[in-house]
Amino acid sequence: MGGSTGFEFFRPPLQMGMPNAEARTIRVIANTIVGGETPLAFVGCVDCAALNNTIVRPHNWLFRILQETVTTAEYEFLPASNGLFANNVIVFDRGDISTHVNIGGDTAPDTFTFTTNLWFAADDAAQSDPSGDLPTPETGAIVGVDPQLVDLAGGDYHLTPGSPAAASGTAFAALSADLDFVCYHDPPSRGAFELR
């Protein structure tokens, strides 16, 4: 979300005397994201959200908060701020990541909100806790508990009936259907798939 953009490519165009942002109100909802250096990056994003994603084995960070375009004499840019990271199921190998979250300079990480995510280090459940790397405390986290997906190794990331992710998320107005176009319940399950 966001990222380095040439000034001529902004839509709407950049405004002098007004705060600008790389991205605003982007929603990343109900995706499965497998591998990669980092599954999500809030880059110069303002009021953006990552909700109900199932993230499987990224290789360096679980997500990033960065700022690539900064204020110049001509244009003011807001820092990456007011992000929401909620209801995600994150399965990772602790030995394959450097830190849970990578936070760069010129950002406002203290404005981010974390709630009801499930964090599971498959190679060492005791090393699942991201709280030392999160910029603000999380509410309602499930840490170090296997999400009990149908077939993690085989690529079926649906929830099994005994999953701790089932019916344990937070309801958000932006949530409607999961990755299979099944409506989320109230309360919703965590991750990209609602339990049927």
Side-chain angles (χ1 to χ4, degrees):
M1 296 175 275
S4 292
T5 304
F7 285 1
E8 68 275 20
F9 299 116
F10 275 79
R11 297 183 315 267
L14 293 174
Q15 305 241 338
M16 291 181 166
M18 303 269 305
N20 298 281
E22 284 281 346
R24 289 181 194 267
T25 62
I26 290 178
R27 305 288 180 253
V28 177
I29 300 173
N31 298 282
T32 57
I33 306 169
V34 181
E37 185 173 294
T38 186
L40 294 164
F42 293 81
V43 186
C45 290
V46 177
D47 300 321
C48 295
L51 308 173
N52 284 83
N53 299 289
T54 298
I55 297 167
V56 180
R57 292 196 162 101
H59 299 300
N60 208 357
W61 303 285
L62 303 184
F63 67 94
R64 304 177 83 184
I65 301 171
L66 303 173
Q67 189 74 26
E68 293 177 349
T69 304
V70 295
T71 297
T72 66
E74 192 175 8
Y75 299 112
E76 176 189 357
F77 279 90
L78 295 172
S81 56
N82 299 321
L84 174 62
F85 192 82
N87 292 350
N88 299 291
V89 171
I90 307 101
V91 178
F92 60 100
D93 291 323
R94 185 61 185 97
D96 201 22
I97 63 168
S98 56
T99 60
H100 295 89
V101 183
N102 172 237
I103 301 172
D106 300 310
T107 60
D110 58 324
T111 65
F112 277 66
T113 300
F114 302 90
T115 189
T116 52
N117 296 292
L118 187 153
W119 310 86
F120 180 62
D123 62 337
D124 186 354
Q127 295 296 313
S128 300
D129 191 358
S131 60
D133 293 329
L134 296 179
T136 60
E138 178 170 6
T139 59
I142 296 175
V143 177
V145 180
D146 187 336
Q148 298 179 29
L149 306 178
V150 170
D151 185 5
L152 181 63
D156 187 342
Y157 308 124
H158 288 82
L159 304 177
T160 59
S163 173
S168 64
T170 300
F172 292 97
L175 288 180
S176 56
D178 73 359
L179 191 56
D180 286 335
F181 303 104
V182 172
C183 290
Y184 278 104
H185 300 157
D186 189 6
S189 293
R190 303 176 198 213
F193 299 101
E194 182 55 82
L195 181 65
R196 291 189 199 43

